[in-house]
Each structure stands twice: as structure tokens, then as C-alpha cells.
Amino acid sequence: MDHRPVSILSFLFACFLSIKLVSYSLDGHNYVQQRYYSMPQTGKSHINGFRSLLSPHAKLSNRGFSPALNLEKFRNRVTSTQARRAQVLEVEGEWDYWKLSDAVKSVKAGGIVILPTESCYTFIADVNSRDAIQKIYTIKDMKDPLTSKPLSLLCHSISQISEYTTGVQSRSAFKLLKDTLPGPYTFILPASNKLPRLVVEHKEHKKVWRRKEIGVRIPNEPIVIELLKQLDSPVLCSSVPTSRDSKILATDGQHVTEVWSHCVDFIIDAGERNSEPSTVVDMTDEDGSIKIIREGAGKLDALKSYPK
């Protein structure tokens, strides 16, 4: 009996299995590479995430990885990132919004996060955390209440602004905010009772906020809006300078990381920002008029329709 057809079929089947095994191996290798390159240099949580990809039973050697995945180099990278306190999240678009969840948890726990607005990078803290608010003052060395600028409130919508202030009840005020926000404007409005007392009457800054007012913003930056929606609460903010002694706004994410990573918990890096600050508009006068405190990126033409 001729067994050659059976032998040929067995040989072809063995070849098919070998090709499949090689394909699965390559797919797994590419997956590990993609996860490695997409992982920010941010410390233990991301390191553990990378380690979870590696089976404890797998026998790995340097030859099993490309040069970029050399294990000794990876250990060196781990050592260098552990020296940083801040975790850096590189966010380029909507596909990266899932990374914001850790930063949201940090804010809720009283941590300080640096995030990008359309004009510059800014420190943010939970509006209800006295310790977090004090951390921002300490980080920026804001000791003199007469010279230090008060913190502003970042909101994701006009309805959220109306919860924490009392200046949006009139039709003209609502229309002004609707026409200019989101955008590079800061509106100073009377604070409502929902705003924590420690914000409007902070022990070291009572003279600055003696009128119980607060500056509010809705930045034209999708990353900020998404984080605030996930947080479901506004945050207090203060612009990040290029250094502790500088008044120049920080606009480069890499520079922010180099200067401030030892002071904060998270840094959301979205690249370069526009260096022009927001236009500040005072809407606290009882007669309903507005006053331009600072002209910035927000165009004054958009304010002309508001009653003087």
C-alpha cells in the first residue's frame, strides 16, 4: 500500500502549523513593542502595566527582543523615572482620553495636576481640598496676599459656572458668556454659597478676596473639558510659570516636566501652547457694567454687545 499521499498531507499540515505559530509569535512581539512605545515614562503604575504583559513562565532573553526592548536598558529607565514624583501623561487626541482617569483620581485625592489650556499650562486642585489649595500657594511661593493673584475656577460649562457664582442670572450676562466661552476669557463674578468658604476667604488671602468673588474660565481646550467632565466638579487653577521666580507663562510641556515634576503628582503633556494669557473681565459691579482688567488673547470686540 502506498503511504506517500498520507506523508505529503502530514508534511503540509506540519508546515501550516509552523507558519501559524510563527505568526502568533510575531503578533505577540509586535503587541509588546506597541505597548512599550506607547507607555509614558511615568513610574511604577506604568511599569507594572508593562510587567503584566510578560508571562511569569516565559523564558526571555535579550535576543528575544529588539534592541529597543533590551531589558538592561529598561531597568535603567525604571530607575531614572522612579526619581520623579509626577507621572507624565502624553495626550494627543481623543484616543488618549482614557489616560486621564488616573489624573482625575489624583485630583479627587487632593493631588496637584498640571494640565494644558489654550494659552499655557496651569496647576489645578480640587475646589474642596484645603490642603491641595495650600499646596499651590506653596509651590508658587505665593506668600504675600496683596501681590499674589487669587486662584481661578475652571468649569466645563456655563451651567456649572452658574452653580458656583451669582452673576449669570441676567439675560445679557448669560449671552456674553455663551458668545465667548469656551475661549481665552476669565470672568470675575460674585461667588455663590456653593463655593467653599476657604476659597473666598482663605486665611492668607482674605484681603485679595474681600468682595467674595471668583474668576471663572471655560478654556477652549478639549483635554480640560474632558477631565472636568470625568471629575464632575470644577477645579481651582493658577498659571504655571517657566520657573518659581519668573512671571513668564510656561507653554512647553517638556519644559514644564523638567522644572515642575518634583512638585506635582501628574503632568498632562499636550505639546506647545499659545503664550498669550486670557482676557480678564470684571462683572461684579452692581450696575451691571463690565471692566477690562487685562487684555489678552480674548478679543475685546466680542464684549461690545454687553451693556456698559
Side-chain angles (χ1 to χ4, degrees):
M1 183 176 179
D2 192 353
H3 295 284
R4 283 179 295 178
V6 176
S7 300
I8 293 172
L9 288 174
S10 300
F11 174 76
L12 293 176
F13 182 71
C15 290
F16 173 78
L17 287 179
S18 299
I19 292 171
K20 277 291 185 183
L21 288 172
V22 170
S23 174
Y24 291 148
S25 177
L26 290 174
D27 288 343
H29 176 263
N30 291 336
Y31 175 70
V32 172
Q33 279 189 317
Q34 291 171 4
R35 287 296 298 271
Y36 176 82
Y37 289 124
S38 65
M39 182 179 63
Q41 302 180 14
T42 57
K44 290 183 179 179
S45 64
H46 298 284
I47 293 164
N48 292 335
F50 178 73
R51 285 175 176 168
S52 69
L53 296 174
L54 307 179
S55 168
H57 305 293
K59 296 180 180 180
L60 302 173
S61 66
N62 287 344
R63 289 185 300 173
F65 292 90
S66 64
L69 287 175
N70 181 281
L71 294 181
E72 187 60 32
K73 291 182 179 179
F74 181 72
R75 291 191 191 99
N76 293 336
R77 183 181 177 188
V78 171
T79 303
S80 65
T81 56
Q82 285 178 338
R84 293 181 179 179
R85 183 187 173 197
Q87 296 190 34
V88 182
L89 309 177
E90 297 179 358
V91 179
E92 298 180 358
E94 293 182 9
W95 54 89
D96 286 331
Y97 284 173
W98 62 271
K99 298 179 182 179
L100 299 177
S101 60
D102 287 339
V104 169
K105 293 176 183 177
S106 178
V107 173
K108 289 182 177 179
I112 303 299
V113 173
I114 294 178
L115 54 75
T117 67
E118 73 272 54
S119 57
C120 66
Y121 282 82
T122 185
F123 298 105
I124 66 167
D126 182 3
V127 69
N128 297 299
S129 174
R130 182 185 297 272
D131 290 340
I133 295 170
Q134 187 59 55
K135 285 178 187 177
I136 292 184
Y137 292 132
T138 302
I139 291 171
K140 295 188 68 174
D141 198 22
M142 298 165 66
K143 296 178 180 178
D144 187 352
L146 296 178
T147 59
S148 299
K149 296 179 181 178
L151 306 185
S152 298
L153 198 68
L154 286 185
C155 300
H156 64 65
S157 64
I158 296 176
S159 62
Q160 194 172 64
I161 290 177
S162 65
E163 292 180 30
Y164 290 84
T165 67
T166 60
V168 196
Q169 281 73 15
S170 69
R171 181 177 299 180
S172 57
F174 177 82
K175 185 178 186 305
L176 177 62
L177 268 60
K178 186 177 180 181
D179 292 343
T180 55
L181 299 176
Y185 296 89
T186 299
F187 292 100
I188 301 174
L189 296 166
S192 71
N193 292 331
K194 188 169 183 178
L195 194 70
R197 186 178 180 84
L198 64 94
V199 175
V200 295
E201 291 190 13
H202 189 276
K203 185 172 67 174
E204 295 181 7
H205 294 71
K206 189 171 182 178
K207 291 183 180 179
V208 174
W209 291 326
R210 60 186 180 275
R211 292 188 297 173
K212 297 185 179 180
E213 60 201 29
I214 188 75
V216 295
R217 287 204 63 199
I218 304 179
N220 188 20
E221 173 51 66
I223 295 173
V224 178
I225 303 302
E226 177 62 25
L227 183 141
L228 293 175
K229 286 180 178 179
Q230 291 187 26
L231 189 61
D232 195 28
S233 173
V235 294
L236 288 170
C237 71
S238 182
S239 300
V240 177
T242 54
S243 67
R244 190 181 291 259
D245 300 325
S246 174
K247 294 184 179 180
I248 301 174
L249 301 180
T251 59
D252 179 69
Q254 184 175 355
H255 176 80
V256 167
T257 300
E258 292 172 356
V259 175
W260 298 103
S261 62
H262 66 288
C263 299
V264 300
D265 300 283
F266 276 86
I267 296 175
I268 300 173
D269 185 351
E272 287 278 352
R273 303 285 98 184
N274 174 20
S275 60
E276 193 172 6
S278 64
T279 295
V280 181
V281 183
D282 189 342
M283 299 178 65
T284 59
D285 286 344
E286 295 181 359
D287 61 2
S289 63
I290 63 174
K291 181 180 179 181
I292 308 302
I293 304 299
R294 181 184 68 195
E295 184 176 355
K299 304 303 180 183
L300 299 184
D301 290 344
L303 308 174
K304 289 181 178 180
S305 60
Y306 189 79
K308 300 297 182 182

